[in-house]
Amino acid sequence: MPDGVVKMVPRSLFPATSDEMWARNGQYLDQSGWLSISAGGLLIEHGERAMLIDAGYGPFPEPVSMMEHGMASMYGGSLVESLAKLGRRPHEIETVAITHLHIEHLGWAAHPAPGDARPAFAHASYQLSHKEWEDRNTTFGVTDEIADALAPQVRIVDDGDEIFPGIRAVALPGHTAGQMGYEVTSGDERLLAFADVMHSPVQVEHPDWAIVGEATAGESSKLRRKMLSQLADEGTIGFGIHFADVPFGKVWRAGDAFTWVPLA
């Protein structure tokens, strides 16, 4: 469910990279040289029931520059409309699984829909890991006001918990200490929503590229390679919340090399 876009300065997001490295990987940049990553959520339906993984950036349609954080601009605002196009209204969402507490993942869970005074998903529970909720006051963008808006609906989820039919929580610490991904199974197929283990398809090709703020680049690289090995399994689909217009895909493996193959 698209909500908005974050335009990043490539070398700010990936501080160990060089201009030469990006010249060889220019296909991942837009015409202005920005790395565009998406904000939004994943809608999962089970009969009449529905849930979301992540809740976008929120009702902020005007692009805001945050160059001090390496962001050329960030905006949101279309998640509720994206839901409506599929015949869903926010009050029908019973669970929002928030992978981690960064502002472009929790947006509509803390902010009201137009014309309403309560957060858009006020009828839902908000699934978070204990560590993620414990660290909320030190997380980028989470003000006391946002934490207070989330608090009444927060429910703690542990690694391996089934939070919805066919949906299992998977601990993915690294980007944040309490980050969770989610495994979705249906018949013989599996989807892995891998949160911010990867921010762009460029990291499929270059899993050693660590983003700014990752505590240990070696551990984050190891986690990406482990995730890519799982995604290379037949019958497994990947969902990259930040993968712009190619969020669903499969991974092909040739030795130690990986390739992201978008699904239409």
Side-chain angles (χ1 to χ4, degrees):
M1 297 289 99
D3 186 51
V5 172
V6 185
K7 290 186 176 291
M8 304 291 302
V9 178
R11 290 188 60 189
S12 291
L13 185 61
F14 298 103
T17 59
S18 66
D19 290 340
E20 291 76 17
M21 293 164 75
W22 282 107
R24 294 193 297 270
N25 292 275
Q27 70 271 29
Y28 297 105
L29 306 178
D30 66 20
Q31 291 183 341
S32 299
W34 306 120
L35 179 67
S36 293
I37 65 175
S38 54
L42 176 64
L43 173 67
I44 300 170
E45 297 177 306
H46 181 79
E48 295 300 313
R49 300 173 62 187
M51 67 160 288
L52 282 175
I53 297 176
D54 284 337
Y57 178 44
F60 306 105
E62 296 299 322
V64 175
S65 176
M66 304 177 73
M67 288 298 290
E68 68 272 21
H69 299 291
M71 300 177 196
S73 65
M74 178 188 291
Y75 65 88
S78 64
L79 182 64
V80 173
E81 180 182 348
S82 297
L83 280 172
K85 288 179 180 178
L86 291 184
R88 288 288 183 180
R89 292 174 290 179
H91 76 266
E92 297 176 297
I93 303 300
E94 66 179 72
T95 296
V96 179
I98 301 173
T99 58
H100 60 293
L101 289 174
H102 284 171
I103 55 175
E104 78 278 16
H105 293 264
L106 61 85
W108 290 95
H111 298 287
D116 203 343
R118 302 179 65 197
F121 300 112
H123 299 83
S125 65
Y126 299 160
Q127 307 283 339
L128 286 163
S129 75
H130 174 76
K131 181 62 175 172
E132 196 68 20
W133 186 239
E134 181 182 61
D135 290 349
R136 62 191 179 277
N137 291 328
T138 62
T139 303
F140 167 67
V142 179
T143 63
D144 288 342
E145 182 180 14
I146 287 175
D148 289 346
L150 296 173
Q153 288 141 263
V154 167
R155 304 292 181 269
I156 298 302
V157 61
D158 293 320
D159 182 40
D161 285 354
E162 185 176 59
I163 64 164
F164 193 77
I167 314 298
R168 185 175 66 87
V170 180
L172 297 174
H175 181 60
T176 67
Q179 178 175 248
M180 281 287 187
Y182 290 90
E183 180 184 72
V184 183
T185 56
S186 179
D188 294 332
E189 289 192 302
R190 177 176 71 152
L191 179 145
L192 292 176
F194 49 80
D196 283 12
V197 171
M198 292 176 282
H199 282 69
S200 164
V202 72
Q203 288 180 289
V204 177
E205 186 174 346
H206 302 287
D208 293 331
W209 286 17
I211 73 158
V212 64
E214 289 183 343
T216 54
E219 288 301 312
S220 67
S221 173
K222 187 184 301 183
L223 178 60
R224 274 188 288 279
R225 290 183 179 278
K226 178 181 178 180
M227 178 59 62
L228 288 168
S229 294
Q230 294 183 46
L231 291 170
D233 289 345
E234 186 176 356
T236 298
I237 296 170
F239 175 75
I241 190 72
H242 287 313
F243 275 31
D245 57 349
V246 291
F248 297 97
K250 289 180 174 288
V251 169
W252 286 357
R253 181 173 188 170
D256 291 332
F258 300 94
T259 304
W260 179 255
V261 182
L263 297 179

